[in-house]
Amino acid sequence: MSECRMCGCEFDVSEARRSIGQKYGAGVYNDYYPDGDVCRE
C-alpha cells in the first residue's frame, strides 16, 4: 500500500490507475502522477 501525498490515506496504486484511467482515459494517471503517490479521490 502507498500513502497519498494529498490526503494521507493508504491506497492501492493499481486500483487508482485503473479508476482514473476508466474515468479520464488510459495513461492519464501516469501522465499527471508519475510517482504513483496520489489516490483516486
Side-chain angles (χ1 to χ4, degrees), residues 28-41:
V28 171
Y29 185 88
N30 289 340
D31 290 345
Y32 286 89
Y33 311 112
D35 295 331
D37 58 355
V38 176
C39 70
R40 63 186 174 148
E41 301 299 322

